[in-house]
């Protein structure tokens, strides 16, 4: 039985090389490729793959968002995330979204093929190092509002603009940013954004 695979990665060279290597496997067939989250979803619905191998960071929508959409739109398609950023918060989001595999991009094509087969068979595979990092980092201390305001602050926008975009008063925005920075042990909001991103919390 052939396992039909969708590959989604915005790095064309990596995606092309992976497709070529997986094509050498007798029981795997790459039926579609995508360079963005939006394209991945459209390709999945058009080709109905058995397993979707999704890059975590893609334009349009990230891999976890695509997996979340596929869970309801194409429940028979199992999803996997490949990432060069094994951030703890992302692993938790992925598992919540029903992702069955979470692996680093440093994996060999042969090992990836084995994990695709395992995921297709109904098993779950999370890279041990990524899992250990997630456990050691713990859960995010940020509230949903603090995380939202940090994201809005990530491009260096002034308080007034953040307040307008979040429909909050400037004083409330300052309080959220101050609280988030305090929880993260950061001296300012820019450091708070960086720390939260490194841990996958925003």
């Amino acid at each position: 039985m052939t396992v039909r695979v969708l590959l989604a990665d915005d790095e064309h060279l990596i995606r092309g090389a992976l497709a070529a290597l997986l094509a050498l496997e007798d029981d795997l067939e790459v039926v579609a490729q995508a360079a963005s989250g939006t394209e991945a979803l459209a390709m999945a619905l058009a080709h109905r793959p058995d397993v979707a191998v999704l890059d975590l960071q893609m334009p349009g929508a990230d891999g976890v968002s695509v997996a979340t959409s596929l869970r309801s739109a194409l429940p028979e398609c199992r999803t996997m995330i490949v990432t060069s950023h094994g951030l703890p918060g992302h692993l938790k989001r992925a598992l919540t979204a029903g992702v069955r595999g979470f692996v680093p991009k440093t994996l060999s094509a042969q090992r990836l093929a084995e994990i695709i087969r395992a995921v297709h068979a109904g098993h779950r595979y999370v890279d041990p190092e990524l899992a250990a990092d997630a456990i050691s980092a713990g859960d995010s201390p940020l509230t949903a509002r603090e995380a939202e305001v940090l994201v809005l602050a990530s491009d260096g926008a002034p308080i007034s603009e953040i307040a307008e975009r979040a429909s909050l008063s400037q004083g409330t925005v300052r309080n959220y940013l101050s609280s988030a920075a305090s929880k993260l042990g950061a001296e300012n909001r820019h450091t708070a954004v960086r720390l939260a991103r490194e841990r996958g919390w925003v």
Side-chain angles (χ1 to χ4, degrees):
M1 180 185 165
T2 303
V3 180
R4 294 161 49 80
V5 179
L6 161 70
L7 285 181
D9 194 311
D10 61 331
E11 295 180 63
H12 297 273
L13 191 61
I14 289 175
R15 193 179 71 242
L18 205 49
L21 290 165
L22 290 178
L24 301 174
E25 304 287 332
D26 293 338
D27 59 339
L28 300 181
E29 181 190 0
V30 177
V31 294
Q33 296 183 44
S36 71
T38 318
E39 191 183 357
L41 192 53
M43 286 290 186
L45 295 174
H47 295 274
R48 307 184 81 80
D50 300 310
V51 178
V53 180
L54 310 166
D55 186 15
L56 178 61
Q57 306 282 8
M58 291 187 287
D62 71 7
V64 178
S65 301
V66 175
T68 303
S69 299
L70 287 177
R71 191 179 192 182
S72 51
L74 201 64
E76 66 274 20
C77 174
R78 300 191 191 277
T79 52
M80 287 177 59
I81 296 287
V82 289
T83 178
S84 49
H85 324 276
L87 302 178
H90 293 148
L91 174 55
K92 190 168 184 183
R93 274 181 63 224
L95 294 177
T96 303
V99 168
R100 307 293 299 179
F102 197 89
V103 297
K105 283 189 174 181
T106 50
L107 214 60
S108 71
Q110 186 181 4
R111 184 73 185 113
L112 180 64
E114 290 168 4
I115 294 167
I116 289 171
R117 292 184 190 103
V119 163
H120 179 248
H123 304 294
R124 176 176 281 156
Y125 181 86
V126 175
D127 179 75
E129 274 190 45
L130 296 181
D133 288 347
I135 291 164
S136 64
D139 291 332
S140 172
L142 303 173
T143 65
R145 265 307 206 182
E146 286 165 354
E148 180 193 354
V149 170
L150 266 190
V151 169
L152 292 174
S154 63
D155 60 359
I159 298 288
S160 56
E161 188 182 321
I162 296 168
E164 190 178 324
R165 284 158 66 189
S167 303
L168 297 168
S169 73
Q170 293 187 36
T172 303
V173 167
R174 283 194 187 89
N175 288 342
Y176 278 134
L177 288 174
S178 173
S179 173
S182 173
K183 287 179 179 178
L184 295 169
E187 64 271 15
N188 57 48
R189 63 173 167 153
H190 306 293
T191 307
V193 169
R194 181 178 58 77
L195 290 172
R197 280 217 164 126
E198 282 174 1
R199 293 166 194 172
W201 291 335
V202 296

